[in-house]
Amino acid sequence: MSRLLRPASRLVSSSIARPAARNAFQSFPRVPAIVQSRGYAKESGVKEYTVRDALNEALAEELELNPKVFILGEEVAQYNGAYKVTKGLLDRFGDKRVIDTPITESGFCGLAVGAALAGLHPVCEFMTFNFAMQAIDQIVNSAAKTHYMSGGIQPCNITFRGPNGFASGVAAQHSQDYSAWYGSIPGLKVVTPWSAEDAKGLLKAAIRDPNPVCVLENELLYGQSFPMSEAAQKDDFVIPFGKAKIERAGKDLTIVTLSRCVGQSLVAAEALKKKYGVEVEVINLRSIKPLDVEAIVKSVKKTHRLLAVESGFPAFGVGAELLALTMEYAFDYLDAPAQRITGAEVPTPYALKLEQMSFPDETLIENYAKKMLRL
Amino acid sequence: MRIPVARLARGSRHSTFLPGHPIYRALQPQRWASSLSQKPGSAGVRFPGAVDSKFTNAMQFELPATYPAIPTYRALSPDGDIIDSSFTPPPDSLALSMYENMLSISIMDIIMFDAQRQGRLSFYMTSQGEEGTCVGSASALTKEDVIFCQYREAGVFAQRGYTFDDFMSQLFANKKDAGKGRNMPVHYGSSALNIHTISSPLATQIPQAAGAAYALKMQRLTDPNTPLRIVACYFGEGAASEGDFHAALNIAATRSCPVVFICRNNGYAISTPTLEQYRGDGIASRGTGYGIDTIRVDGNDILAVREVTKKAREMALQDGGRPVLIEAMSYRISHHSTSDDSFAYRAKVEVEDWKRRDNPITRLRKYLEKKDLWSDEKEAEARGRLRKECLKAFAQAEKEKKPPLRTMFEDVYEEMTPEIKAQMKQLKEVIDRYPDEYDVSEFEGGKDTLSS
């Protein structure tokens, strides 16, 4: 089969401003302009992207733009990534920039951190963040702190990425949300994309950011499609860290949420509007470190009620942090105690129904909001 | 080590841990007199880190590429003939039962792989091509030996007496599942068979095995009447890339733990071929580096695997215990798991070739046929019978009740916390109040199991 007909060739269709100089690592010929067409376009230029494609495009663009960027991880090259996020990148950028590693998280993560300390911009993929536990010392003690400990002489421009949180039917050791873990480390930045635009903009920003950044993706969102604006399709599209996005404006209740729970909260908000005519504001945090406290306070001033929705374990979690911040900065504006919805305090069960009940869903969010609003 | 022992001695009621106690002394590794200084004019090195090295004037780097590869031991030729006439084959009855165990695993693999494809269970892992390594090694262990598996060792379970019913109960997470339905399929475990429950994170079992072996050693020292036991630890060559593997070998060697590490080198770690996994001479070469007695064996030769494991077990128990490493070479004919399509990274013809050319089941079959212990008729009969047994267990397990409702609340902690007890009570009250809303009949014991 022709190289051009392979699905990977779709990736190169982005309108990239090619750097004048040839990349040092580039050893593969560029794909000609013949493949510059993309799927269906809507009138406004908005196109449907899956989160997977958005991430893939972000990686491809950053690999193209900056010769210092490379990606490594288990099965990222030959196998196109365990979740196909790196599909086609090996074909396009060659095996010096898309690197398969032995099964040794602490080893390849350490190698990536070392490369970052030496000035490269590695993207370190974990098959899932559950497996990053083997390498957490490299992330927390080395990547996050070396810049500080070295007196600022050692940069650590590294991006850790991979699916985070629970997937389906993979039981306790494969179903954990690490947002709160990494979110608590000074020196790390942590982003949690929800939509395709989030995924692309945040991943690109993460790769460009001079600090170590954890991009906590969600496996269950990879295949989900979202509209991508014309601006976001460009190769210069980045989303600034520390800026939350109001996904839905409202005046009666503020839901602050992240990752997959954003979509669920939006569905719940829509249902509440339909059934009770209340307007719920849904804030997509996008990045949890830095955290956009201002957006939360501003919203609470308007709605006077706050509900945090996340899928981590309840104790010492993102929800706990959001509630504490609300209490510290917006207490006087609250008409009711701020509340949180989290995952259940249990090692994630394997049984399908128990697994479903271990994490927030649309109905639960709706019912909780209903209670808060006394509907 | 020193400081914690002193602390232990203060805190512990058992004087066993006091320095001076014979057991304490037995547990301490022998220490070299590292303060000995270099004698002028001596030919050998007296550095504490290398006590046996000779000085040389020739600067010569060690070049592993020039070393001959560690040989692979085998007893049975691909045609099923015993190569060395001095080799004592196992009794015929044992050879036949090992053959049937390999056969039953391969039949179960086919049935369950298809069942997963039909959506009847969420996940499955087959062990085609590695039945010999698992069944053969397990046949050389005693019932009391403790086993840590990775996840592709159904043959070990079968050889130790794990039945189709046991397999199916775990796979379908019914009330008879020892894991109470909390694990993904193929995460078997059995306290009756002394096999620790399989844990998903890779390679974590290897240092744990060293620790368990240390515990067995201590137990034997405190009570010499306990049977001599070893720990057998299985893992793939991919897992041997994890840091845990290296830590495990080093600590097992320095603490002289009676553990046999059994590496299933099957050529692939999901999609990563061994050539990208390591550059040395397999996993075996690492054993010698840690000062561990090591052997490489043909994993497709079940008799050789058995023999090697038997000997390794003996060695592991000598002189108060020490680790042994076995590297069993085979080829992973199956996909990594039902989540994998291996033809994306290897040619189908390569797999077919291995399947046809050499596989542990056909090799033992040839041996048995030559001894007139097996025939086409017996093969057909056995396959039919095992298939039927497997399907029967399958059908039964699917129909079996689910684990009791109470198990939802148990085992997060050793004892239920007051919060968990309160939740359980609350659930009971809800079910009592709305009996028509909750059908609890599919759970073993219904709602009664929720009473505290």
Side-chain angles (χ1 to χ4, degrees):
Chain A
M1 195 175 10
S2 152
R3 233 166 66 78
L4 301 185
L5 290 175
R6 292 166 73 167
S9 60
R10 201 188 44 69
L11 307 173
V12 268
S13 50
S14 55
S15 51
I16 290 165
R18 303 244 149 89
R22 194 175 155 81
N23 296 342
F25 291 133
Q26 187 96 39
S27 60
F28 279 69
R30 301 261 163 74
V31 177
I34 193 168
V35 287
Q36 292 261 339
S37 64
R38 215 201 296 266
Y40 302 102
K42 290 181 184 161
E43 288 161 41
S44 54
V46 172
K47 283 171 197 164
E48 290 282 320
Y49 269 64
T50 61
V51 169
R52 178 182 285 113
D53 288 343
L55 291 165
N56 186 295
E57 186 168 283
L59 288 169
E61 285 174 7
E62 293 307 304
L63 281 162
E64 181 78 55
L65 283 169
N66 189 341
K68 286 186 170 179
V69 176
F70 69 100
I71 177 156
L72 85 173
E74 290 155 357
E75 325 226 284
V76 296
Q78 198 72 40
Y79 197 54
N80 285 319
Y83 297 101
K84 305 298 168 212
V85 171
T86 52
K87 197 169 184 171
L89 297 182
L90 171 69
D91 287 352
R92 197 172 155 204
F93 297 101
D95 59 6
K96 284 202 169 66
R97 301 188 64 201
V98 183
I99 302 167
D100 274 332
T101 67
I103 309 183
T104 164
E105 284 81 8
S106 61
F108 72 73
C109 177
L111 184 146
V113 170
L117 296 177
L120 291 181
H121 302 174
V123 179
C124 174
E125 173 178 311
F126 293 110
M127 199 179 284
T128 88
F129 264 96
N130 296 287
F131 306 152
M133 298 254 266
Q134 303 252 18
I136 201 162
D137 186 57
Q138 291 287 351
I139 303 174
V140 170
N141 255 339
S142 296
K145 296 174 190 165
T146 301
H147 186 260
Y148 177 77
M149 301 299 280
S150 70
I153 60 173
Q154 280 188 314
C156 195
N157 183 337
I158 186 169
T159 306
F160 304 104
R161 54 156 292 270
N164 171 57
F166 76 103
S168 48
V170 291
Q173 292 168 320
H174 285 136
S175 310
Q176 293 174 96
D177 185 335
Y178 293 92
S179 309
W181 289 51
Y182 295 116
S184 70
I185 307 298
L188 277 184
K189 293 188 179 180
V190 184
V191 297
T192 52
W194 165 62
S195 67
E197 275 189 22
D198 286 0
K200 184 178 171 188
L202 290 171
L203 179 54
K204 282 170 73 79
I207 296 171
R208 292 180 187 192
D209 193 283
N211 300 288
V213 185
C214 291
V215 182
L216 305 177
E217 298 154 11
N218 189 303
E219 185 195 329
L220 300 173
L221 291 174
Y222 279 155
Q224 214 160 308
S225 287
F226 292 88
M228 178 101 93
S229 70
E230 210 165 353
Q233 292 167 38
K234 298 224 171 87
D235 69 338
D236 57 357
F237 175 71
V238 286
I239 293 176
F241 292 167
K243 288 273 171 264
K245 185 185 175 199
I246 298 174
E247 297 284 353
R248 186 183 197 283
K251 56 176 177 39
D252 300 312
L253 167 71
T254 300
I255 292 183
V256 183
T257 178
L258 66 159
S259 191
R260 184 166 171 266
C261 293
V262 175
Q264 296 173 318
S265 301
L266 285 171
V267 172
E270 204 48 53
L272 287 161
K273 157 97 174 141
K274 224 186 230 157
K275 289 184 196 162
Y276 310 100
V278 291
E279 292 288 357
V280 176
E281 180 147 308
V282 177
I283 296 182
N284 172 7
L285 281 175
R286 282 184 162 175
S287 84
I288 58 166
K289 195 177 192 90
L291 192 73
D292 193 350
V293 184
E294 201 186 331
I296 298 169
V297 172
K298 226 165 127 185
S299 180
V300 170
K301 279 185 183 172
K302 189 165 65 170
T303 65
H304 308 293
R305 280 181 173 80
L306 179 126
L307 174 63
V309 181
E310 56 132 340
S311 64
F313 296 128
F316 311 100
V318 174
E321 181 65 25
L322 290 171
L323 262 54
L325 286 167
T326 308
M327 196 273 289
E328 283 164 0
Y329 293 105
F331 183 76
D332 291 342
Y333 301 99
L334 284 172
D335 281 352
Q339 305 270 341
R340 61 179 153 163
I341 300 178
T342 68
E345 168 87 355
V346 64
T348 306
Y350 169 69
L352 179 66
K353 285 175 186 159
L354 288 182
E355 182 192 275
Q356 284 165 354
M357 287 162 72
S358 297
F359 299 102
D361 65 4
E362 292 82 351
T363 327
L364 183 78
I365 302 170
E366 187 188 322
N367 290 340
Y368 228 86
K370 206 171 88 178
K371 251 189 249 169
M372 278 186 81
L373 291 165
R374 298 171 186 265
L375 298 170
Chain B
M1 187 65 205
R2 313 296 132 197
I3 296 168
V5 166
R7 216 183 284 145
L8 241 176
R10 234 179 295 134
S12 167
R13 272 171 289 140
H14 305 286
S15 54
T16 316
F17 297 104
L18 286 172
H21 188 282
I23 289 175
Y24 175 85
R25 262 184 278 131
L27 287 172
Q28 294 309 302
Q30 194 187 345
R31 292 186 65 79
W32 296 95
S34 53
S35 59
L36 267 184
S37 59
Q38 196 79 44
K39 279 189 196 129
S42 75
V45 174
R46 268 283 180 197
F47 296 118
V51 290
D52 235 1
S53 175
K54 298 273 177 288
F55 283 121
T56 171
N57 296 330
M59 190 177 73
Q60 171 77 55
F61 285 86
E62 296 303 313
L63 304 173
T66 62
Y67 292 0
I70 295 172
T72 304
Y73 171 75
R74 74 176 183 193
L76 215 51
S77 77
D79 296 326
D81 298 310
I82 300 278
I83 298 165
D84 180 354
S85 54
S86 66
F87 178 84
T88 325
D92 293 344
S93 59
L94 179 63
L96 281 168
S97 80
M98 290 199 295
Y99 184 73
E100 280 215 0
N101 282 334
M102 286 202 288
L103 212 54
S104 47
I105 291 304
S106 78
I107 287 168
M108 181 175 79
D109 277 352
I110 295 167
I111 292 172
M112 297 320 289
F113 190 85
D114 289 346
Q116 194 278 340
R117 287 292 183 254
Q118 292 166 7
R120 292 164 88 165
L121 67 164
S122 71
F123 180 80
Y124 190 72
M125 294 179 105
T126 68
S127 47
Q128 285 162 288
E130 293 171 70
E131 298 94 342
T133 308
C134 294
V135 173
S137 56
S139 77
L141 302 171
T142 69
K143 227 182 117 234
E144 289 78 29
D145 288 339
V146 175
I147 293 186
F148 283 83
C149 289
Q150 181 162 302
Y151 46 56
R152 207 186 297 287
E153 289 89 359
V156 173
F157 282 83
Q159 182 63 31
R160 284 176 87 81
Y162 209 64
T163 62
F164 278 138
D165 273 337
D166 296 331
F167 280 117
M168 295 301 157
S169 299
Q170 199 286 330
L171 293 169
F172 288 109
N174 65 28
K175 68 168 190 189
K176 281 152 71 189
D177 170 17
K180 302 181 186 169
R182 290 174 188 148
N183 252 324
M184 290 173 75
V186 313
H187 290 58
Y188 316 112
S190 166
S191 60
L193 302 177
N194 286 324
I195 312 180
H196 283 251
T197 300
I198 289 163
S199 165
S200 294
L202 205 57
T204 48
Q205 81 276 17
I206 315 176
Q208 291 165 4
Y214 190 66
L216 295 186
K217 179 177 161 169
M218 285 195 30
Q219 195 183 24
R220 171 92 184 160
L221 281 167
T222 10
D223 179 7
N225 294 324
T226 51
L228 275 168
R229 302 202 277 168
I230 63 150
V231 173
C233 176
Y234 293 83
F235 52 93
E237 89 286 349
S241 288
E242 295 278 15
D244 277 354
F245 164 82
H246 299 271
L249 259 65
N250 196 38
I251 200 155
T254 50
R255 306 306 305 177
S256 306
C257 304
V259 52
V260 176
F261 296 110
I262 303 173
C263 175
R264 298 176 290 96
N265 190 335
N266 64 13
Y268 283 95
I270 310 191
S271 81
T272 311
T274 42
L275 281 180
E276 284 175 41
Q277 193 69 245
Y278 55 73
R279 280 294 152 85
D281 181 18
I283 307 305
S285 64
R286 299 181 196 169
T288 51
Y290 285 107
I292 291 177
D293 297 341
T294 300
I295 191 164
R296 176 176 285 157
V297 61
D298 180 350
N300 287 344
D301 178 351
I302 188 168
L303 299 190
V305 174
R306 175 182 154 77
E307 208 54 26
V308 157
T309 315
K310 229 165 82 184
K311 182 71 188 163
R313 184 177 186 279
E314 239 169 67
M315 290 161 68
L317 289 169
Q318 278 163 10
D319 310 327
R322 62 179 149 140
V324 181
L325 172 65
I326 299 173
E327 183 183 23
M329 313 305 288
S330 65
Y331 183 86
R332 196 190 80 206
I333 289 170
S334 52
H335 301 301
H336 165 70
S337 73
T338 48
S339 314
D340 172 43
D341 172 17
S342 67
F343 299 136
Y345 50 82
R346 60 178 183 180
K348 203 168 177 169
V349 53
E350 175 189 322
V351 180
E352 290 299 328
D353 187 42
W354 270 98
K355 208 160 142 184
R356 210 184 40 248
R357 191 155 48 90
D358 196 12
N359 108 32
I361 298 182
T362 48
R363 209 192 289 189
L364 187 63
R365 181 178 167 184
K366 283 177 192 161
Y367 164 82
L368 292 172
E369 279 174 350
K370 285 189 177 168
K371 288 191 88 179
D372 259 344
L373 293 167
W374 204 250
S375 62
D376 285 349
E377 296 79 59
K378 281 186 177 162
E379 176 81 8
E381 182 275 328
R383 280 187 179 272
R385 172 169 47 85
L386 292 170
R387 204 182 129 76
K388 216 189 266 167
E389 278 173 24
C390 182
L391 286 171
K392 195 175 148 213
F394 181 115
Q396 238 162 21
E398 244 187 346
K399 275 188 302 214
E400 197 64 77
K401 282 193 177 182
K402 291 181 175 151
L405 285 171
R406 186 186 184 84
T407 57
M408 269 200 293
F409 300 96
E410 286 173 330
D411 302 332
V412 179
Y413 296 100
E414 195 75 32
E415 287 159 6
M416 274 194 223
T417 62
E419 296 80 19
I420 292 176
K421 274 189 190 154
Q423 286 176 16
M424 188 169 80
K425 187 162 166 255
Q426 202 185 357
L427 177 64
K428 173 101 191 324
E429 284 164 8
V430 170
I431 298 174
D432 280 341
R433 202 174 323 141
Y434 307 104
D436 299 337
E437 299 293 322
Y438 295 93
D439 178 14
V440 291
S441 61
E442 59 175 334
F443 300 96
E444 177 68 8
K447 65 175 181 178
D448 295 341
T449 61
L450 295 173
S451 313
S452 41

